[in-house]
Amino acid sequence: MRIQRRITLGIAILFAMILLLGIQSVNYVRQLSQATGTILADNYNSLQYAGEMLRSLNDIGQDSLSRHTLRRNLAKQQQNITEISEKEMTAALERRISTLSDPVTEAEIRNVREDLFRIMELNMAAIRTKSAAVEERADYVLWWLAAIAALCAVVAGAILVWFPRSVLRPIDELKKGIREIANHNYQKRLDFEGNREFEAVAASFNDMAAKLDEYRRSSLDDLMTAKKRIEAIVNTLHEPIVGLGPDRKILFMNREALAVLNLQADAVGRNAAEVALSNDLLRRLIRGLYDGGKANDEPLKIYADDKESYFQVENTPLYITPVGGREQQFVGNLIVLNNITRFKELDSAKTNFISTLSHEMKTPISSILMSLQLLGDDRLGGLNAEQRQLVGSIKDSSDRLLSITGELLNLTQIETGKLKLMPKITKPIELIDYAIKATQVLAERFCCFVEVDYPEKISKLYVDNEKIAWVITNLLSNAIHHSPERSRIIVGAVQREKAVEIFVQDFGRGIDPRYHKSIFERYFRVPGTKVQGSGLGLAISKEFVEAHGGSISIDSEIGRGSRFTITLPTC
C-alpha cells in the first residue's frame, strides 16, 4: 500500500470514529431531552391544572368567577390525560363538579378536593417513575458513550502505533542500508516490495551499491597494481628505506634496508621496538622517534659491503588529510638512510690534502718572512724607498698566507676530531689584552680606536688561552676591517650568573639579519663585502667556543654596526 493511501486511511478511520462518537452523543442527548420534555409538558401541566382547581374551589363560596375558573381548568385537564386511570379520575371529578349546588356544601368541596388530590398523586407518581426511567436511560447513555470513546481510543492508539511504524519502517531500512554502504559493505541490498514510493528508492540504492562494489573491485585491482609498482620502485633504490606506521609497526623495508640492518623479510609487520631489542642498528634508527624526534646530524657508521659505510639518517613524519576531513592526520614515519660514504671519503681526502698542503706551505712562508726580516736589517745594506715598499707588500701577503694556513690547520684539526684543548684558569682581561696587542698594528693602519669596557669584579675562566685568544683576535680583526676610519671599537666583558660574556662591538656597516646564521658556516662570505678573507674565521671560532661548552652570537643591523658575543662558563 502506498504511503499516501496509508495516511488517508488512518485519517479517515480517525475521522469516522470521531463522527460516530459525535452522532451517538447527539442522539442520546436528544432522547434524554425528549424524555425530560415529556415529563414537563404532560404531568407538570396536570399538576398545574389541579392546583388551579384547588384554589378556585377554596374561593367558590366567596367569588362568583371561581366556579367558571374551576370548569375552565377541568376542561384543560380533560384534554391533558396521559396516564392510565387518569381518564376515569377526571370523569369522576367532572361529575362531582357538575353536581355542585349553589351554595356549595362542605361535603361537596371535600369530595372534589379528594378527587383533585388523587389526580395530583397519580401525576406525581408518574413524574417519579419517568424521572427514574430518565436516570436509567442517562446511565445507559453514559456507558454507551464510554464504550464508544474507549473503542475510539483503542483504534486511535492502534493507528498511532501502527501508522508511524508502517511509514518509518522503510525509512529505517534505508538508513541501515546507507550505514552499511558507509562501512564499505557494498553487498547490502534493499527490498521494499509492495511499497511503490520506496520501490524506486530501493532500485536506485541497489544500483548504486552494485556500481560501488564494481568500482571497489576495479579500484582494489588498481591499488594492488600501484602498490606492487611502488614496492618494485622502492626495492630498486640503492638507499635503505624503512616505513613505520603510527603505532611504530614496520610497514615495509626495501632489500637495501634488510641487507644493511641484517634483518629478514619476516620483520615487516612486527613492532619496530620489538625487533630493535635484538638489533642495535634499528634501535639507533628509531631512537629519535621516542625522544621527541630530535635531529641527529651525526652520520650513522655501519659496516657493510666489507667496509665501513656512512649513512645520514633522514626521518620524515608523514601526514595526510582524510577524505572529507580538514585536519591532518599522522600516519607514520619514513626513514631513509642516505649513503654518504663516497662524500665522507672525499671529505677525508680533502681534509688530508688541506692538512698536508698547510704544513708544506708553512715552512716556505716562514722562510720568506725570515728573509724579509734579514732584508730589512741595515747591517746587510740599506734599501731605497721603492725597495722598502716592495718588502712591506711581500710581508703583508706572507702574513696573510700564514694566517690562512693557520686557519686551514685549525679547520683540519676540527674536521678530523684531533682538536686538543689545554685549559687553565685565566682572567678574561688577559685574553682581551692579547687580542688588542695582536691587532695593534692593524688598528693603527686603519686609524681605529680600540676601547676596553671591563668591570672591576669578574669571574675567572677555565679555557685554552691560545684558542679563545685566537677567537677574540679574529673578532677584533674583523671589526677593524669592517669599520670606517677614525671609528671606535669596544672590547669588553660582562659578568653573568654562571658565565662570562666577552664581546666585540663595532659601528660599521652592519650585517643583514638574513645572514646571521650563515656567517658561522664554512667558506661563507656576506654578499657585497669588499674585505678579502677565507670565510673560515667565524666557523673556526664557533667550533673553538662550543668545544669549551660555550656559545657565540651576533646582534647586528644594517647601518648600526655589529656586536659579537662569546659566552663561556665560569670556573
Side-chain angles (χ1 to χ4, degrees):
M1 184 183 296
R2 301 180 63 179
I3 293 179
Q4 183 179 0
R5 290 184 180 178
R6 293 181 183 180
I7 295 175
T8 303
L9 178 60
I11 295 175
I13 292 175
L14 288 176
F15 179 77
M17 298 300 296
I18 294 172
L19 183 63
L20 175 63
L21 181 62
I23 291 173
Q24 287 294 101
S25 300
V26 171
N27 184 38
Y28 288 141
V29 170
R30 185 177 61 79
Q31 292 179 7
L32 290 175
S33 177
Q34 290 177 352
T36 305
T38 301
I39 296 173
L40 293 175
D42 297 333
N43 300 104
Y44 179 76
N45 288 338
S46 295
L47 290 174
Q48 186 177 9
Y49 299 153
E52 291 292 334
M53 285 187 284
L54 283 174
R55 284 191 291 273
S56 299
L57 187 63
N58 292 331
D59 298 333
I60 197 170
Q62 302 174 358
D63 188 2
S64 58
L65 295 176
S66 299
R67 188 180 296 273
H68 176 71
T69 302
L70 180 65
R71 292 184 181 281
R72 187 177 67 250
N73 284 293
L74 175 62
K76 291 180 179 180
Q77 171 61 26
Q78 289 174 341
Q79 298 297 325
N80 191 44
I81 296 173
T82 57
E83 303 299 329
I84 299 175
S85 73
E86 186 177 6
K87 183 176 182 181
E88 290 79 4
M89 292 181 181
T90 302
L93 176 63
E94 193 272 334
R95 287 193 299 271
R96 290 185 184 277
I97 291 175
S98 61
T99 59
L100 288 176
S101 59
D102 188 16
V104 181
T105 64
E106 290 292 333
E108 290 174 339
I109 292 173
R110 185 171 56 254
N111 291 332
V112 172
R113 186 179 287 115
E114 289 176 355
D115 289 340
L116 288 172
F117 284 153
R118 281 195 293 272
I119 291 172
M120 292 177 68
E121 183 178 357
L122 176 64
N123 281 278
M124 287 296 295
I127 288 174
R128 286 193 294 270
T129 301
K130 291 179 180 179
S131 297
V134 169
E135 290 179 359
E136 183 179 355
R137 183 67 176 175
D139 292 338
Y140 173 77
V141 169
L142 180 62
W143 281 108
W144 264 105
L145 290 176
I148 294 174
L151 179 61
C152 292
V154 171
V155 173
I159 292 175
L160 289 176
V161 173
W162 166 80
F163 180 71
R165 289 184 180 179
S166 65
V167 173
L168 295 178
R169 188 179 296 113
I171 298 177
D172 291 337
E173 290 295 327
L174 180 60
K175 288 168 59 179
K176 291 180 181 178
I178 294 173
R179 195 177 296 114
E180 291 292 329
I181 293 295
N183 293 329
H184 307 292
N185 180 17
Y186 301 128
Q187 302 296 327
K188 179 67 177 179
R189 297 293 184 272
L190 297 180
D191 183 13
F192 296 127
E193 187 176 356
N195 191 325
R196 293 184 180 179
E197 286 89 347
F198 283 92
E199 280 182 353
V201 175
S204 300
F205 179 90
N206 296 336
D207 184 53
M208 176 192 69
K211 290 181 178 179
L212 287 174
D213 189 30
E214 181 181 357
Y215 175 75
R216 182 186 63 174
R217 292 179 181 178
S218 61
S219 298
L220 283 176
D221 292 339
D222 294 341
L223 288 174
M224 290 302 297
T225 303
K227 179 176 178 293
K228 292 185 178 296
R229 185 183 298 115
I230 293 174
E231 288 178 350
I233 294 173
V234 170
N235 281 323
T236 57
L237 296 176
H238 296 292
E239 306 293 339
I241 299 177
V242 180
L244 301 179
D247 55 353
R248 302 293 186 261
K249 182 181 291 186
I250 300 175
L251 300 180
F252 62 86
M253 275 189 179
N254 64 352
R255 285 192 291 266
E256 286 291 329
L258 292 173
V260 169
L261 299 177
N262 194 23
L263 291 173
Q264 301 297 323
D266 58 0
V268 177
R270 297 171 58 188
N271 190 279
E274 178 185 347
V275 178
L277 293 175
S278 57
N279 191 291
D280 293 337
L281 292 178
L282 182 60
R283 184 161 59 249
R284 292 172 63 186
L285 284 180
I286 67 174
R287 186 179 300 160
L289 303 179
Y290 295 94
D291 58 6
K294 296 179 180 178
N296 185 7
D297 294 333
E298 287 295 325
L300 191 64
K301 186 178 180 180
I302 301 175
Y303 189 81
D305 298 331
D306 297 328
K307 67 175 182 178
E308 287 184 348
S309 299
Y310 294 88
F311 295 89
Q312 189 69 48
V313 180
E314 184 180 345
N315 183 358
T316 305
L318 303 177
Y319 296 90
I320 64 170
T321 302
V323 178
R326 294 184 178 180
E327 296 183 358
Q328 287 189 332
Q329 179 180 347
F330 175 70
V331 295
N333 296 80
L334 181 67
I335 301 175
V336 180
L337 300 180
N338 296 310
N339 194 336
I340 59 172
T341 305
R342 180 171 174 271
F343 303 104
K344 194 73 175 177
E345 292 173 349
L346 291 174
D347 185 67
S348 178
K350 180 263 298 180
T351 302
N352 291 333
F353 172 75
I354 291 176
S355 177
T356 303
L357 181 63
S358 300
H359 279 287
E360 293 297 327
M361 287 179 63
K362 196 169 185 180
T363 300
I365 292 173
S366 299
S367 299
I368 292 172
L369 291 173
M370 180 64 70
S371 300
L372 290 173
Q373 187 176 359
L374 291 175
L375 284 174
D377 193 345
D378 291 336
R379 292 177 295 178
L380 297 179
L383 298 175
N384 57 33
E386 186 176 353
Q387 290 172 338
R388 287 185 182 277
Q389 185 178 0
L390 289 174
V391 169
S393 177
I394 294 171
K395 185 177 184 304
D396 290 341
S397 298
S398 299
D399 288 337
R400 184 167 172 270
L401 282 174
L402 186 62
S403 175
I404 294 175
T405 303
E407 290 180 354
L408 291 174
L409 284 173
N410 289 331
L411 181 63
T412 55
Q413 288 181 359
I414 294 171
E415 290 181 343
T416 57
K418 295 180 180 180
L419 181 63
K420 294 181 180 180
L421 301 178
M422 293 182 290
K424 64 179 182 179
I425 297 176
T426 306
K427 295 179 180 180
I429 191 62
E430 294 176 357
L431 302 174
I432 294 174
D433 287 341
Y434 177 88
I436 291 175
K437 292 176 181 179
T439 57
Q440 183 176 357
V441 177
L442 184 64
E444 291 176 354
R445 182 189 304 172
F446 284 88
C447 300
C448 293
F449 304 97
V450 180
E451 300 177 5
V452 178
D453 182 6
Y454 194 79
E456 294 181 1
K457 293 182 179 181
I458 194 168
S459 301
K460 295 181 180 180
L461 300 174
Y462 186 68
V463 296
D464 187 323
N465 289 6
E466 183 181 348
K467 300 294 189 296
I468 300 301
W470 187 94
V471 173
I472 301 173
T473 302
N474 180 69
L475 294 178
L476 187 54
S477 175
N478 288 344
I480 294 172
H481 280 100
H482 292 85
S483 297
E485 291 186 0
R486 300 189 179 279
S487 64
R488 64 192 186 101
I489 298 170
I490 303 174
V491 183
V494 179
Q495 177 69 55
R496 298 302 180 191
E497 185 177 354
K498 293 183 180 181
V500 171
E501 291 183 355
I502 300 175
F503 65 89
V504 177
Q505 183 174 359
D506 66 67
F507 300 92
R509 180 174 178 270
I511 301 174
D512 194 314
R514 292 180 298 172
Y515 307 122
H516 284 184
K517 290 184 179 180
S518 302
I519 59 175
F520 294 104
E521 297 176 0
R522 298 171 188 176
Y523 308 111
F524 178 81
R525 299 184 64 194
V526 177
T529 182
K530 297 179 180 180
V531 180
Q532 295 182 352
S534 62
L536 295 173
L538 289 177
I540 295 172
S541 298
K542 183 175 182 290
E543 296 288 346
F544 281 173
V545 173
E546 290 181 350
H548 287 82
S551 63
I552 183 171
S553 61
I554 179 177
D555 180 16
S556 179
E557 292 182 12
I558 297 294
R560 298 183 59 182
S562 304
R563 179 188 176 105
F564 285 85
T565 302
I566 304 168
T567 304
L568 295 168
T570 58
C571 296

